[in-house]
Amino acid sequence: MGNRVPLKQLLQREGIVVAPGCHDALGAKIIESAGFDAVYMTGNGTSASAIGKPDLGFLTMTEMVSRARGIVSAVDIPVISDADTGYGNRNNVIRTVQEYEASGVSAIHLEDQVTPKKCGAMSGIELISIEEHVDKIQAAIQARKDENFLIIGRSDARGTKGLAEAIERGKAYAAAGADLILIEMLESVDEMKEVARKIDAPLMFNYVEHTKIPNLTIQQFQDLGFKLLAYPLSSTFYYAKTMMDLMRTLKETGSTESFQEQMLKIHDYEKFLGIEKYR
């Protein structure tokens, strides 16, 4: 952890920072071993993996921070975490920032939904006012102790109030001092270009498969002007599908033999987890 390059420093370099998502420490270690510079802790995937429930605001702040702390301790790259709505009003946001910062997380994003929130890809999302979320962002900035701990202002307005409202909110959150702006669920390249043109702040993008978001490469996201790119649910989706296939096959055939070539061997698995450090 002592050699971790601050996310703020990575973002000052040329090019885009890519942060694949994970819902546990093992996933984070795999992401790091693949050579990525940062990792994103998904709230949706954490809700599924920790309590087996959809992303509807069931997890508490302390549950999320506990999972984040384990992920941070497992890797030497910055961890960016979903912090939902800050788990309440501006006072709750202050404690949220204090707890996430103490856990070693490098950045959190705060979304402008009502509490309890929903996954940004769901329908029926309700928003708080621009003024209330600006107040929460300002409270978050004042609460942090280290300027390297980044506050990302997120808006979920695109799906419910339209692009113009989402951009207005993004501009307001940038003016309030957010270090990056995240506009969820943009549906076209033209929308992405408009966001980049109208919001004068570093931009983050969450790429979620099987939504209206166009399929673009990392290079294309970079060319559009995004500075931080997360793939929040890719690994969770793949894990769930692979587990379903494995369990169905075991139930139907009574054997895992057809999957064994796709599995890590136990010694390789233990080596990856660093067992030699403890012998």
Side-chain angles (χ1 to χ4, degrees):
M1 287 176 58
N3 296 324
R4 183 179 296 138
V5 177
L7 178 64
K8 186 174 183 178
Q9 184 176 328
L10 291 175
L11 291 169
Q12 291 169 347
R13 297 176 181 175
E14 186 176 351
I16 195 169
V17 175
V18 181
C22 68
H23 56 255
D24 60 16
L26 175 59
K29 287 178 69 68
I30 292 170
I31 289 166
E32 181 181 45
S33 71
F36 289 98
D37 291 325
V39 61
Y40 175 87
M41 182 183 124
T42 162
N44 186 313
T46 300
S47 183
S49 66
I51 59 173
K53 294 187 183 299
D55 187 15
L56 293 172
F58 292 116
L59 284 181
T60 65
M61 181 269 288
T62 50
E63 288 174 314
M64 285 287 288
V65 169
S66 177
R67 179 65 66 95
R69 185 176 291 110
I71 289 173
V72 168
S73 69
V75 296
D76 288 322
I77 55 176
V79 176
I80 303 150
S81 181
D82 187 345
D84 294 332
T85 63
Y87 308 99
N89 63 21
R90 74 184 312 276
N91 294 330
N92 301 105
V93 167
I94 290 169
R95 181 164 183 244
T96 293
V97 168
Q98 292 169 342
E99 295 294 331
Y100 271 98
E101 186 174 4
S103 77
V105 164
S106 295
I108 59 171
H109 61 70
L110 298 168
E111 58 205 56
D112 53 6
Q113 293 189 39
V114 300
T115 300
K117 50 70 59 87
K118 295 181 177 180
C119 171
M122 294 179 181
S123 60
I125 288 174
E126 298 180 41
L127 305 177
I128 61 175
S129 69
I130 294 177
E131 293 75 18
E132 183 177 356
H133 201 57
V134 163
D135 188 45
K136 291 168 84 168
I137 288 172
Q138 290 174 337
I141 292 168
Q142 293 167 7
R144 67 183 173 189
K145 296 179 180 178
D146 184 353
E147 65 176 12
N148 287 317
F149 181 80
L150 304 183
I151 305 298
I152 302 166
R154 166 176 155 172
S155 179
D156 288 88
R158 169 62 189 88
T160 57
K161 294 182 177 293
L163 181 63
E165 171 83 5
I167 291 174
E168 180 184 356
R169 286 172 175 261
K171 290 167 69 174
Y173 305 158
D179 298 290
L180 294 100
I181 299 299
L182 167 59
I183 306 296
E184 278 286 271
M185 306 311 292
L186 297 175
E187 297 181 2
S188 70
V189 169
D190 286 341
E191 290 189 359
M192 296 176 197
K193 288 179 178 178
E194 188 167 358
V195 165
R197 182 169 60 86
K198 292 186 175 179
I199 298 178
D200 185 20
L203 298 175
M204 176 180 177
F205 195 90
N206 273 350
Y207 178 79
V208 181
E209 293 83 357
H210 307 299
T211 64
K212 294 180 180 180
I213 298 171
N215 291 315
L216 302 177
T217 65
I218 292 171
Q219 184 63 53
Q220 287 173 313
F221 280 113
Q222 177 176 307
D223 293 343
L224 285 165
F226 293 97
K227 195 62 186 175
L228 177 60
L229 175 61
Y231 290 79
L233 284 165
S234 306
S235 64
T236 302
F237 288 160
Y238 191 78
Y239 165 84
K241 176 64 166 61
T242 303
M243 277 286 289
M244 288 176 181
D245 291 345
L246 174 63
M247 293 303 112
R248 183 171 55 250
T249 298
L250 177 59
K251 179 66 175 177
E252 291 174 354
T253 69
S255 172
T256 63
E257 183 178 3
S258 63
F259 276 82
Q260 288 180 20
E261 286 301 314
Q262 302 171 48
M263 295 180 185
L264 277 177
K265 294 179 175 61
I266 187 167
H267 298 299
D268 293 332
Y269 169 76
E270 291 171 342
K271 181 179 179 181
F272 178 77
L273 293 176
I275 196 169
E276 293 300 329
K277 297 178 184 177
Y278 307 103
R279 285 180 171 168

